[in-house]
Amino acid sequence: MKFLDASDRVTKLELIRRPIPGEPVKIGDLPTAFAQFVGEQRDAPDGRIRAGYIWFNAWLVPLVRQFDLAMDDFRELDGIVVDLRGNTGGVGAMILGLAGHFLDDRGPVAVLTDGLSASASEVFAGGMQAVGRVRVFGGITAGAVLPARMDRLPNGDVLYHAFGEFETTTGLRLEGRGVFPDRPVSVTREDLLTGRDAVLTAALDWIAAERGRIARSHSADDDREF
């Protein structure tokens, strides 16, 4: 493989194949997927806040338990970041349970998206955005949202096809449109070369600002009680 390095010099590297990491998961007749999950604390660079960071590569049932455990660890932090960049979807029924973690607790929740965030990821991001529960950062999602199912044909083949439509609570159809971020953040070559995640940084800055606003509001309420 050839590419330009940080100094714009042509560099050649040999790619070595290795097994895909993660737990193998089979969904119907689709190829085997591999479930991957990251749940860890991410602090703002200046130390203002502590946030829970969750990333998973697809909506696969074995990850529900890991998501639940991560949320138990993160509830006392200043906010949550759900990173759906590169997440092309999966089992849509998972959305109900995972979204439930955020509907009672009013802490700041940021969702990160890009052009590869598709299907169930768009339903989660767009649905939670529509009810005002999250703020979306990054890029416009894929716009591939229609629910689909598998039907076996008389010859034994399987037809995977759309069977419905999805609309947010505001009546917005995401198919062919995608979810538009509340805060668009572009990824630059300079960011990639330096390892800076501009989208995540913007989300953490927003969580810090929200925490400051909430603290000021509580302080004002305390003053009025006297």
Side-chain angles (χ1 to χ4, degrees), residues 9 29 36 46 56 74 79 98 106 108 117 122 138-139 154 166 171 180 183 185 197 207 221 223:
R9 294 174 300 198
D29 291 276
Q36 302 172 44
D46 57 7
F56 52 105
F74 296 157
L98 271 57
R106 303 308 298 176
S117 304
E122 299 182 270
F166 173 78
F180 282 65
R183 169 77 183 279
V185 182
D197 190 337
I207 290 174
D221 290 340
D223 290 341

Side-chain angles (χ1 to χ4, degrees), residues 30-103:
L30 295 176
T32 299
F34 294 85
Q36 302 172 44
F37 184 92
V38 174
E40 58 191 21
Q41 182 177 315
R42 296 285 185 94
D43 299 342
D46 57 7
R48 285 178 296 169
I49 60 159
R50 300 175 303 144
Y53 172 85
I54 292 176
W55 171 90
F56 52 105
N57 65 322
W59 294 76
L60 300 170
V61 173
L63 298 180
V64 171
R65 179 60 175 164
Q66 296 185 56
F67 195 102
D68 292 342
L69 292 174
M71 286 301 302
D72 288 341
D73 292 337
F74 296 157
R75 292 191 193 282
E76 301 304 316
L77 299 183
D78 297 304
I80 303 291
V81 176
V82 180
D83 190 347
L84 297 178
R85 292 175 293 181
N87 189 321
T88 56
V91 181
M94 291 173 56
I95 298 170
L96 301 177
L98 271 57
H101 283 289
F102 306 108
L103 295 178

